């Protein structure tokens, strides 16, 4: 091979390799992008939670409002739990029951209780989208999940107050959607598995429209959370995430 | 040889009266202790039976056939249709009364904290035959149907600093496997005989419990009381069959004795106590054995003389056996009378186990009142006499084997 040809090949190889080094994302950047993609200024959605367990199948429907990374309000619309609400603000989580004269504030271990007997906990339903505040991230590599090229990341909790001490997540390299997640204890005991079954495009972002969650602590139990409609960046009342509004 | 053995044996007791009395007292203490123990056990058994029937299972309990299998998951949806089942079982032969209940785990939300309790939805009217609620209410009144009112155990109220008129939000899981909460006002504080009930139970009207738990028209269990002369197991079997035939409903319908392992254990314990009682008497009898042996050695010269005069070995054995038996009768009689007096006093003042039973989840009342039972008294009296008398047989038989020539050497 002549010298100029070798030079050309070397130059081309360098040109191919250098950008990948220059533009490779760190684990933190992937998580940041992931949170950004899942967060809207405001959103209003409707959906359902279908739970199957040893006793059969149960479907509950809800309407949810969210603002930024921290504030969310869920109101159940199905007959069995009509009018029940869950409010999450930056610091607290409150439950409203139509027949109770006071709000119930959940804290500590109570946040890990199941919502309506499903595989979802109150924390899962209303989780804050600022993952890096609570976890350190290690980018493990890449894997193909359901035909999507994904970053594989391991998140380890910085504080003991989080629901899942260790999370392993598969984040789409293109859309930053979490296709799959495994939630474990610090001793690597698997607690829950989440999998996105279908997606929806909203405001140029890809979001999960159907998600399956399995609580590995329960036998023969699985929950499907389906989003029927989602509107983003819609104007919301100023006090929609206040306690006054919750009891109104 | 014609001699009145019982008269001689009786007279011999007084030859060393103090020693005879010591033997009698040993028998008396054993009899008294066993008498008190059996009376206490009898009281525990009957108290447990009353409490189980009144507060827990009735004499017959009807539940959905799969409820027990999944009980740890609180499967309130495995329920009974009260409008279908109740009228049918009420008419069944041998059924005296019926009531319906829903037991549910309840969290009392107070000052930002959940406090675990056991909620029971009851129909206060039909409960009359089962629980005498009016006599248990210490303060206030019974909740009324259709109102968000509750009757709470006195210890639970005390522990949570709750008073009459206070409002409490009860958070629970529903039959639809969701959650729900409702605020109730405390209108009554009750003092239940069972410590466990006092410390953790609250009663609400059945219709409000059904609303809270999303169990419209449904109940978790139906409890029955049987007519006199009917066996609970027979009534349970006939009710189960009736529901199966008339409604094609498979149920778990059982008599209360088949539902309560603790009660069965108590019955086994009773047998063990009878065995322990026998050992107790044998220990007490060692004194009488010792006394008889000493008497035989002391009266060796007398035995030789009686033998030389023609008294048979069997008669000698009978003589000492009779002496021992008379001491046993005296001891047993004294012990049984003393036991009766103790039990009589305890039946008035009661035995307070409140502190000892705190934290123990047992269906026995905190204060027990052992009752004077003359059957037990007679049993203990006879039991003590037989065991103590048989004990004297061992040394008495020795008297018959003594050679006359050998005995006369003591002359």
């Amino acid at each position: 091979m002549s010298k100029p040809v070798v030079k050309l090949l070397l130059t081309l190889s360098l040109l191919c390799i250098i950008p990948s080094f220059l533009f490779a994302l760190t684990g933190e950047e992937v998580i940041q992008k992931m949170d950004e993609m899942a967060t809207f200024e405001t959103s209003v959605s409707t959906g359902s939670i279908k739970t199957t367990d040893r006793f059969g199948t149960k479907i509950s429907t809800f309407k949810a409002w969210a603002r930024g990374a921290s504030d969310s309000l869920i109101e159940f619309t199905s007959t069995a739990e009509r009018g029940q609400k869950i409010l999450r603000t930056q610091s607290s989580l409150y439950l409203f029951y139509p027949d109770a004269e006071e709000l119930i504030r959940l804290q500590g271990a109570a946040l890990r209780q199941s919502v309506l007997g499903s595989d979802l906990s109150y924390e899962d339903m209303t989780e804050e989208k600022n993952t890096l505040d609570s976890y350190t991230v290690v980018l493990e590599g890449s894997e193909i999940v359901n035909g999507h090229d994904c970053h594989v990341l391991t998140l380890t909790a910085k504080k003991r107050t989080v629901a899942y001490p260790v999370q392993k997540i598969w984040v789409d390299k293109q859309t930053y959607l979490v296709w799959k997640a495994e939630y474990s204890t610090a001793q690597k005991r698997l607690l829950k598995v989440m999998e996105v079954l279908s997606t929806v495009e909203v405001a140029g972002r890809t979001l999960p429209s159907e998600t399956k969650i399995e609580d590995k602590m329960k036998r023969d139990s699985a929950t499907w959370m389906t989003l029927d409609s989602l509107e983003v960046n819609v104007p919301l009342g100023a006090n929609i995430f206040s306690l006054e509004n919750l009891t109104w | 040889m014609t001699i009145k053995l019982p008269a001689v044996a009786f007279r011999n007791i007084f030859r060393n009266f103090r020693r005879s009395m010591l033997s009698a007292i040993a028998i008396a203490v054993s009899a008294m202790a066993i008498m008190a123990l059996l009376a206490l056990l009898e009281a525990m058994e009957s108290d447990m039976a009353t409490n189980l029937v009144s507060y827990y299972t009735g004499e017959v309990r009807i539940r959905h056939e799969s409820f027990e299998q999944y009980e740890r998951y609180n499967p309130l949806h495995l329920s009974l249709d009260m409008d279908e089942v109740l009228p049918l079982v009420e008419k069944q032969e041998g059924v005296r009364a019926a009531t319906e209940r829903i037991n549910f785990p309840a969290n009392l939300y107070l000052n930002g904290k959940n406090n675990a309790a056991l909620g029971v939805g009851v129909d206060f009217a039909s409960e009359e035959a089962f629980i005498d609620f009016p006599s248990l209410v210490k303060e206030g009144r019974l909740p009324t149907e259709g109102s968000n009112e509750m009757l709470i155990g006195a210890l639970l109220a005390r522990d949570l600093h709750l008073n009459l008129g206070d409002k409490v939000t009860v958070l629970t899981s529903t039959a639809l496997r969701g959650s729900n909460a409702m605020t109730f006002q405390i209108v009554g504080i009750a003092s239940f005989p069972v410590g466990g009930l006092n410390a953790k139970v609250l009663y609400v009207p059945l219709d409000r419990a059904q609303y809270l738990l999303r169990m419209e028209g449904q109940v978790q269990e139906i409890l029955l009381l049987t007519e006199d002369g009917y066996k609970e197991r027979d009534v349970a079997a006939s009710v189960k069959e009736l529901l199966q035939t008339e409604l094609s409903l498979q149920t778990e319908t059982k008599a209360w004795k088949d539902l309560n392992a603790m009660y069965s254990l108590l019955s086994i314990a009773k047998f063990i106590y009878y065995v322990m009682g026998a050992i107790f008497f044998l220990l007490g009898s060692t004194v009488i054995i010792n006394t008889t042996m000493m008497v035989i050695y002391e009266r060796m010269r007398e035995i030789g003389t009686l033998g030389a005069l023609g008294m048979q070995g069997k008669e000698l054995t009978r003589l000492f056996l009779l002496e021992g038996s008379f001491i046993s009768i005296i001891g047993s009689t004294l012990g049984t009378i003393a036991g009766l007096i103790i039990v009589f006093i305890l039946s008035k003042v009661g035995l307070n186990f409140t502190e000892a039973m705190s934290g123990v989840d047992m269906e026995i009342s905190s204060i027990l009142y052992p009752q004077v039972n003359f059957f037990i008294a007679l049993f203990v009296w006879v039991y003590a006499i037989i065991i103590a008398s048989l004990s004297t047989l061992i040394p008495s038989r020795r008297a018959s084997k003594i050679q006359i020539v050998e005995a006369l050497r003591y002359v």
Side-chain angles (χ1 to χ4, degrees):
Chain A
M1 212 181 281
S2 66
K3 250 186 177 178
V5 174
V6 172
K7 268 187 182 173
L8 183 68
L9 281 173
L10 274 170
T11 314
L12 280 173
S13 303
L14 279 170
L15 279 172
C16 287
I17 295 163
I18 288 168
S20 69
F21 281 122
L22 282 177
F23 303 112
L25 291 174
T26 63
E28 284 78 8
E29 285 168 333
V30 173
I31 296 296
Q32 223 159 8
K33 283 264 186 189
M34 178 193 90
D35 280 349
E36 275 171 28
M37 286 296 167
T39 310
F40 292 94
E41 199 176 314
T42 58
S43 70
V44 179
S45 59
T46 58
S48 63
I49 300 170
K50 185 175 94 173
T51 305
T52 59
D53 58 20
R54 55 170 63 78
F55 298 123
T57 301
K58 184 201 169 194
I59 298 175
S60 305
T61 55
F62 65 86
K63 185 172 183 181
W65 296 261
R67 182 175 61 200
S70 308
D71 297 338
S72 59
L73 173 68
I74 297 169
E75 181 176 354
F76 290 97
T77 49
S78 39
T79 316
E81 45 278 317
R82 182 163 292 150
Q84 293 182 9
K85 296 175 194 171
I86 306 170
L87 171 69
R88 171 133 200 182
T89 60
Q90 200 145 23
S91 53
S92 304
L93 195 145
Y94 295 92
L95 305 181
F96 168 77
Y97 292 94
D99 295 301
E101 290 180 15
E102 61 185 321
L103 292 174
I104 290 168
R105 186 182 178 193
L106 289 188
Q107 40 196 345
L111 292 167
R112 288 162 209 171
Q113 286 173 4
S114 150
V115 177
L116 306 177
S118 71
D119 297 63
L120 288 158
S121 69
Y122 287 102
E123 247 176 3
D124 295 336
M125 283 287 280
T126 57
E127 65 181 342
E128 290 183 16
K129 291 171 185 72
N130 36 22
T131 314
L132 292 175
D133 289 353
S134 309
Y135 290 93
T136 55
V137 187
V138 175
L139 185 59
E140 306 278 5
S142 299
E143 261 179 45
I144 303 291
V145 176
N146 298 335
H148 304 274
D149 192 10
C150 294
H151 294 292
V152 183
L153 300 111
T154 300
L155 282 64
T156 310
K158 290 177 185 172
K159 44 193 178 185
R160 295 184 62 169
T161 49
V162 295
Y164 309 111
V166 177
Q167 293 187 24
K168 188 175 180 185
I169 55 173
W170 285 258
V171 182
D172 195 307
K173 287 183 178 175
Q174 299 295 318
T175 61
Y176 295 94
L177 173 81
V178 182
W179 280 101
K180 191 180 162 189
E182 289 177 356
Y183 306 103
S184 315
T185 63
Q187 292 75 35
K188 306 281 163 42
R189 187 177 177 196
L190 191 59
L191 297 170
K192 280 183 191 173
V193 173
M194 184 280 291
E195 209 179 333
V196 170
L197 302 178
S198 63
T199 60
V200 61
E201 293 281 331
V202 178
R205 302 183 205 178
T206 305
L207 297 166
S209 60
E210 191 182 8
T211 310
K212 184 185 177 189
I213 301 105
E214 283 180 277
D215 187 337
K216 294 295 177 185
M217 299 289 108
K218 294 180 182 175
R219 201 196 294 171
D220 307 327
S221 177
T223 296
W224 286 261
M225 193 165 161
T226 308
L227 220 54
D228 296 328
S229 71
L230 175 66
E231 288 178 77
V232 295
N233 301 329
V234 287
L236 295 178
N239 67 341
I240 193 165
F241 301 104
S242 67
L243 296 182
E244 292 75 33
N245 179 64
L246 197 59
T247 51
W248 185 68
Chain B
M1 188 175 178
T2 52
I3 186 166
K4 287 183 178 171
L5 285 180
V8 175
F10 188 74
R11 202 175 55 225
N12 283 346
I13 292 171
F14 299 94
R15 287 171 65 177
N16 195 331
F17 186 66
R18 269 195 293 184
R19 194 169 54 204
S20 300
M21 275 304 103
L22 186 72
S23 305
I25 286 166
I27 303 292
V29 169
S30 306
M32 187 184 72
I34 294 299
M35 173 82 197
L37 192 69
L38 290 182
L40 179 66
L41 207 70
E42 196 74 14
M44 281 170 80
E45 197 182 35
S46 76
D47 179 79
M48 197 178 198
T50 308
N51 291 339
L52 285 171
V53 169
S54 301
Y55 300 105
Y56 295 93
T57 59
E59 286 180 323
V60 174
R61 188 184 72 189
I62 310 166
R63 276 184 174 179
H64 187 283
E65 65 163 344
S66 303
F67 191 91
E68 196 184 0
Q69 186 187 348
Y70 299 108
E71 194 161 6
R72 64 183 184 281
Y73 303 111
N74 183 34
L76 288 172
H77 61 287
L78 300 175
S79 54
L80 302 168
D81 186 323
M82 62 185 243
D83 295 330
E84 262 187 354
V85 178
L86 201 61
L88 205 61
V89 296
E90 275 176 331
K91 287 182 200 152
Q92 178 67 6
E93 192 188 339
V95 174
R96 176 162 62 88
T99 194
E100 56 276 30
R101 288 183 195 167
I102 304 173
N103 301 292
F104 59 96
N107 275 314
L108 307 188
Y109 184 72
L110 293 163
N111 305 317
K113 282 184 183 168
N114 280 323
N115 301 276
L118 176 71
V120 189
V122 293
D123 172 16
F124 286 98
S126 63
E127 282 288 345
E128 267 178 30
F130 293 78
I131 303 176
D132 184 10
F133 275 113
S135 73
L136 299 170
V137 177
K138 214 171 69 170
E139 285 178 64
R141 58 173 174 83
L142 293 180
T144 48
E145 198 185 324
S147 307
N148 290 2
E149 296 175 340
M150 70 159 76
L151 177 76
I152 190 168
L155 274 177
L156 182 62
R158 189 200 68 185
D159 291 347
L160 300 178
H161 309 291
L162 293 168
N163 295 303
L164 273 189
D166 287 351
K167 286 189 169 179
V168 187
T169 297
V170 175
L171 181 66
T172 187
S173 301
T174 68
L176 301 171
R177 307 201 305 289
S179 68
N180 200 11
M182 194 186 265
T183 303
F184 290 86
Q185 186 172 31
I186 299 172
V187 295
I189 296 175
S191 189
F192 298 99
V194 183
L197 289 177
N198 247 347
K200 66 178 183 187
V201 170
L202 57 95
Y203 288 88
V204 298
L206 184 70
D207 62 328
R208 301 319 290 156
Q210 287 172 324
Y211 177 75
L212 169 69
L213 301 162
R214 306 288 190 244
M215 291 178 72
E216 248 62 30
Q218 302 288 310
V219 290
Q220 184 199 50
E221 59 190 23
I222 290 175
L223 311 182
L224 310 175
L225 290 180
T226 56
E227 297 271 11
D228 288 341
Y230 285 87
K231 287 182 180 167
E232 297 100 348
R233 284 192 178 109
D234 295 343
V235 173
S238 67
V239 166
K240 188 180 169 72
E241 199 184 322
L242 175 80
L243 294 174
Q244 203 171 330
T245 323
E246 295 290 318
L247 303 173
S248 305
L249 184 66
Q250 298 292 338
T251 58
E252 183 218 62
T253 306
K254 283 185 177 173
W256 68 280
K257 281 179 186 166
D258 298 328
L259 289 165
N260 300 288
M262 201 63 213
Y263 186 80
S264 309
L265 282 175
L266 206 66
S267 301
I268 295 167
K270 206 171 157 184
F271 171 75
I272 293 167
Y273 278 117
Y274 281 120
V275 177
M276 278 169 64
I279 295 166
F280 228 69
F281 283 129
L282 282 174
L283 284 171
S285 302
T286 54
V287 181
I288 206 166
I289 293 170
N290 187 41
T291 305
T292 314
M293 282 173 79
M294 283 174 73
V295 165
I296 289 166
Y297 282 115
E298 271 175 19
R299 297 187 200 155
M300 197 62 90
R301 198 172 45 177
E302 192 180 313
I303 292 168
T305 312
L306 287 170
L309 289 171
M311 190 181 244
Q312 299 296 311
K314 277 182 187 172
E315 285 172 320
L316 280 167
T317 303
R318 213 181 304 150
L319 179 71
F320 287 102
L321 186 64
L322 277 171
E323 194 177 327
S325 299
F326 286 139
I327 295 171
S328 304
I329 290 167
I330 294 164
S332 180
T333 309
L334 286 174
T336 308
I337 291 168
L340 278 170
I341 293 167
I342 289 170
V343 173
F344 178 75
I345 295 166
L346 289 177
S347 74
K348 298 294 169 199
V349 298
L351 271 168
N352 196 336
F353 292 106
T354 309
E355 287 303 313
M357 295 283 284
S358 67
V360 180
D361 198 11
M362 226 175 143
E363 298 84 3
I364 291 178
S365 301
S366 304
I367 301 175
L368 283 175
Y369 294 93
Q371 293 302 307
V372 174
N373 184 329
F374 289 102
F375 175 76
I376 290 179
L378 182 69
F379 171 78
V380 171
W381 186 71
V382 174
Y383 200 54
I385 291 170
I386 292 171
I387 291 182
S389 302
L390 286 176
S391 304
T392 58
L393 193 65
I394 304 158
S396 301
R397 279 166 63 86
R398 193 182 151 75
S400 67
K401 289 173 184 161
I402 293 168
Q403 296 297 316
I404 299 165
V405 181
E406 192 71 16
L408 285 172
R409 278 178 53 207
Y410 289 86
V411 177

